[in-house]
Amino acid sequence: MSRTDPLRRNPRRLLLGAVAVVVVAAALALSAYATTPRTHGVAGDWQAKPLDGRVVGRVLLSGDHTALDLRTGKSVSLGSAAGGRAYAGDGRLVVAGTGRVDSVGLDGTGRWTWRPPPGLAAVPLAARRGSTLVAACPADASAPCDLVGLDAGGHEAWRTTGSGRVAVPEGQGLPHVYAAASGGGVVLVDPVDGRQGLVPGDQSTGVPDGPVVLSAVQDGRCVVAAYDGADPLWTRVLGACAAGPGPRVTSVTVAPGTLVVDGPDGGTGLDPATGREQTGSGRSAAVTGDVVARTAGLAVTRERHSTPLDPLRWGSPTTVLTVVDTGSGREVGQVASTGRLDLLLLDGDGLVVRTDDGVTRYTLPRR
């Protein structure tokens, strides 16, 4: 009796089994493709190489003194200025090191170096219209500092001696005016000409490459005022205020075009340049999900999605940043990545994100 191979005896069954495997695999692949979030609704504007660091206004500062302009995608470096601390403001990178201050424009032009007198340490405080204000302070913590205005070429334009002790700024963003508490108000110093003024204010917030915003309680009402240099830029009188310090004002890191004022009406979003209220930018604007940033009429939410039907993505969930129109609740667009995905900047025209591949700006469609 001869024996026959079962597979040869049933070729049709073998063929049907193979077809079934292919069909199931194709169905899983299509399902995985359909359920995996992808970038859509946005258009790529520019991409720069990967760069770690922190966002200061509209600039990304790295630890090696490299600055990436998040508006243009251009970068500049002052790596030769060893050590020190980097600052950004007025479209410039400023590095304060031991016995020197180095600066260069974000477009790579106008580089200069200024050295304070021996025994004094320089601390950048503000920058505006090409001028940079630094404090030259002695090592003795009880001794007063000099305030020095440097022009666009890094040359000393004016100096005020014995101006009191100056603390190193907490942030690395330089506002357009220096503000220091003095008695019951705030002293403002203009970097351009050294003009000073004493104005009312309980709290001050410096917007990187923007005005200083002061808050106070006047006649029982919350008042917020912005100064660009020593001159007032705008004033907003809010609702009734309880006795005590004025409302807290926050400059949003990834949305520098928005100030959030925690006043009597809740979180109100204001344009730092004009003081006008930005509809849908306050914390009270209704948007579902984990909101990571808001600006005029827009919010960005962050979510993580898993794709169980895709074996290539098991253990690697997709992170999605979704841009939402706060007026209509409609999705404007989204950016998705299976790796790193950090929101660096949000404005009315687009957003800048950092992934494993680099830093990319996406523009949004007109709404």
Side-chain angles (χ1 to χ4, degrees):
M1 179 181 296
S2 63
R3 297 183 179 180
T4 305
D5 190 329
L7 296 179
R8 292 183 178 179
R9 191 170 52 195
N10 299 290
R12 186 175 181 183
R13 182 180 300 175
L14 176 62
L15 179 60
L16 290 176
V19 170
V21 170
V22 172
V23 170
V24 171
L28 288 174
L30 288 174
S31 178
Y33 181 86
T35 57
T36 299
R38 283 173 171 76
T39 298
H40 66 79
V42 295
D45 187 9
W46 53 257
Q47 185 175 49
K49 65 180 182 180
L51 184 67
D52 287 324
R54 62 177 300 179
V55 176
V56 178
R58 292 175 173 84
V59 179
L60 178 62
L61 286 180
S62 74
D64 64 352
H65 302 338
T66 296
L68 174 65
D69 190 334
L70 298 179
R71 295 165 295 188
T72 65
K74 296 181 179 180
S75 63
V76 67
S77 178
L78 282 174
S80 59
R85 191 182 194 212
Y87 300 82
D90 194 35
R92 300 189 65 84
L93 168 64
V94 181
V95 177
T98 303
R100 60 188 288 171
V101 177
D102 293 275
S103 180
V104 65
L106 295 179
D107 59 359
T109 64
R111 177 167 180 169
W112 52 256
T113 298
W114 179 77
R115 289 178 171 82
L120 300 182
V123 180
L125 300 175
R128 172 175 175 260
R129 287 171 45 188
S131 297
T132 304
L133 171 60
V134 300
C137 302
D140 184 357
S142 63
C145 302
D146 291 347
L147 296 181
V148 182
L150 305 176
D151 63 18
H155 305 109
E156 184 174 325
W158 59 266
R159 176 186 291 260
T160 302
T161 59
S163 299
R165 197 65 189 180
V166 173
V168 177
E170 294 183 4
Q172 293 172 267
L174 300 178
H176 289 174
V177 61
Y178 171 58
S182 178
V186 176
V187 172
L188 301 176
V189 183
D190 192 326
V192 177
D193 53 17
R195 283 188 303 138
Q196 298 188 16
L198 178 63
V199 296
D202 300 322
Q203 303 180 66
S204 65
T205 300
V207 179
D209 203 2
V212 162
V213 181
L214 307 179
S215 63
V217 178
Q218 298 180 8
D219 298 327
R221 302 182 71 84
C222 289
V223 179
V224 179
Y227 290 80
D228 194 77
D231 300 317
L233 188 61
W234 52 260
T235 300
R236 283 290 301 263
V237 179
L238 306 177
C241 236
R248 186 168 66 92
V249 180
T250 304
S251 176
V252 183
T253 301
V254 297
T258 297
L259 289 171
V260 176
V261 182
D262 289 330
D265 300 324
T268 302
L270 301 180
D271 184 334
T274 64
R276 295 192 183 96
E277 183 172 349
Q278 296 179 336
T279 304
S281 62
R283 295 193 182 100
S284 59
V287 177
T288 59
D290 179 18
V291 178
V292 295
R294 298 178 187 268
T295 191
L298 294 174
V300 174
T301 63
R302 182 184 181 91
E303 296 180 274
R304 290 174 67 83
H305 296 264
S306 60
T307 310
L309 296 178
D310 188 349
L312 298 178
R313 296 182 184 272
W314 286 344
S316 300
T318 301
T319 303
V320 179
L321 295 176
T322 303
V323 184
V324 180
D325 186 311
T326 56
S328 63
R330 178 180 58 87
E331 177 183 316
V332 178
Q334 73 175 28
V335 179
S337 173
T338 56
R340 182 182 192 179
L341 183 59
D342 304 322
L343 178 64
L344 301 181
L345 180 70
L346 171 68
D347 55 34
D349 301 320
L351 69 163
V352 180
V353 301
R354 177 171 50 200
T355 66
D356 294 328
D357 297 326
V359 178
T360 306
R361 175 175 172 82
Y362 293 97
T363 57
L364 300 171
R366 291 187 176 181
R367 305 189 304 281

